Amino acid sequence: METILIIEDDAALALGLCRALKSEDRTLQSCGKIREARRLLREAQPDLVILDVNLPDGSGFDFLGEIKGKGAAPVILLTANDMETDIVAGLEAGADDYITKPFSLAVLRARVNTQLRRKKETESRQDVRWESGRYRFLFDRMEYLVEGTPVELSKNEQKLLRILVENEGRIVKRETLIDRIWTDGAEYVDENALSVTVKRLRDKLAAGEWIETVYGTGYRWVKQHG
């Protein structure tokens, strides 16, 4: 479900934007002041912000810098200011797009869809994920799901899992695993620590048939089919 936050002090316009942009897989929220917008940004963590430049309690340009400073969602500036200097200032301040009033709702919808699509594409490139059968692992987000149910893994269990699935079907030697998992500069790591970590990972993921012990050599994540 996508969330769009509209920061616009003209209540009628804000309502019209909500109606124009709403869909089954999209939630719209709106407010008319920066103070309220700060709260909604914290609570809703929107996927896109539509920001009016002229607000009763501050400048949208200034607030834009605040939003972008937190690494938040893409921002489309919405304003009556059609001066070239205003457009340049908005884009240089970090706006992802700039629409001047009056505007076509069809054009606004197209630009909103473009920004949301770009955001999804960026996120998919950034997320290192692995999916097969009952398992879905999002390594960058540290989310591990078994049949849709989240499983909590320790840092070492996460490292072990990632190494194994990235080498799916191939044996990874014990010494390689120990060297790559325990990289804190310790001179000696008891090999039993690896065995314990493997057992815990098997139990948490119910992966007894997938994490194979190759005696005398190492471990392998069995290649899954279908």
Side-chain angles (χ1 to χ4, degrees), residues 29 36 49 52 62 107 121 191 199 201:
Q29 293 185 320
E36 187 178 358
V49 177
D52 185 21
D62 294 338
V107 170
E121 290 172 352
E191 286 199 8
K199 183 181 186 308
L201 183 62

Side-chain angles (χ1 to χ4, degrees), residues 44-223:
Q45 297 182 339
D47 297 291
L48 176 72
V49 177
I50 297 176
L51 173 64
D52 185 21
V53 166
N54 299 307
L55 295 167
D57 58 342
S59 163
F61 285 124
D62 294 338
F63 190 48
L64 170 63
E66 186 177 327
I67 297 173
K68 286 299 184 178
K70 297 177 181 177
V75 178
I76 297 177
L77 285 182
L78 189 62
T79 178
N81 299 332
D82 59 357
M83 296 291 291
E84 183 176 313
T85 53
D86 289 327
I87 296 174
V88 171
L91 295 174
E92 289 185 344
D96 298 272
D97 204 346
Y98 195 112
I99 299 178
T100 57
K101 304 172 186 177
F103 55 86
S104 158
L105 287 178
V107 170
L108 177 64
R109 278 194 292 264
R111 293 191 175 186
V112 164
N113 291 336
T114 295
Q115 292 301 326
L116 290 170
R117 184 175 63 251
R118 287 176 180 171
K119 182 175 184 290
K120 286 181 179 178
E121 290 172 352
T122 299
E123 288 176 346
S124 66
R125 288 195 298 269
Q126 291 175 343
D127 287 342
V128 178
R129 66 178 63 199
W130 187 90
E131 299 182 58
S132 184
R134 58 207 292 260
Y135 298 112
R136 184 167 182 255
F137 307 140
L138 305 176
F139 290 102
D140 287 349
R141 297 186 186 182
M142 294 185 288
E143 295 180 7
Y144 307 93
L145 298 98
V146 181
E147 295 181 342
T149 301
V151 176
E152 293 291 333
L153 300 180
S154 70
K155 187 176 294 185
N156 286 340
E157 290 162 0
Q158 292 177 48
K159 290 180 182 179
L160 171 62
L161 176 62
R162 184 164 182 171
I163 295 167
L164 290 176
V165 299
E166 286 181 346
N167 291 277
E168 182 182 10
R170 297 191 295 271
I171 300 170
V172 184
K173 294 182 177 180
R174 288 183 62 89
E175 53 266 33
T176 299
L177 290 169
I178 291 171
D179 183 59
R180 292 182 61 184
I181 295 171
W182 285 273
T183 56
D184 57 0
E187 293 184 6
Y188 173 76
V189 175
D190 188 343
E191 286 199 8
N192 187 54
L194 176 59
S195 300
V196 170
T197 304
V198 170
K199 183 181 186 308
R200 288 176 177 167
L201 183 62
R202 276 195 183 117
D203 292 344
K204 288 183 177 182
L205 299 179
E209 62 181 308
W210 301 117
I211 301 177
E212 178 187 9
T213 299
V214 183
Y215 291 98
T217 305
Y219 298 92
R220 169 172 52 202
W221 186 279
V222 178
K223 193 170 184 64

Side-chain angles (χ1 to χ4, degrees), residues 3-15:
T3 300
I4 297 175
L5 173 60
I6 298 171
I7 308 170
E8 166 62 63
D9 64 324
D10 183 329
L13 177 57
L15 180 60

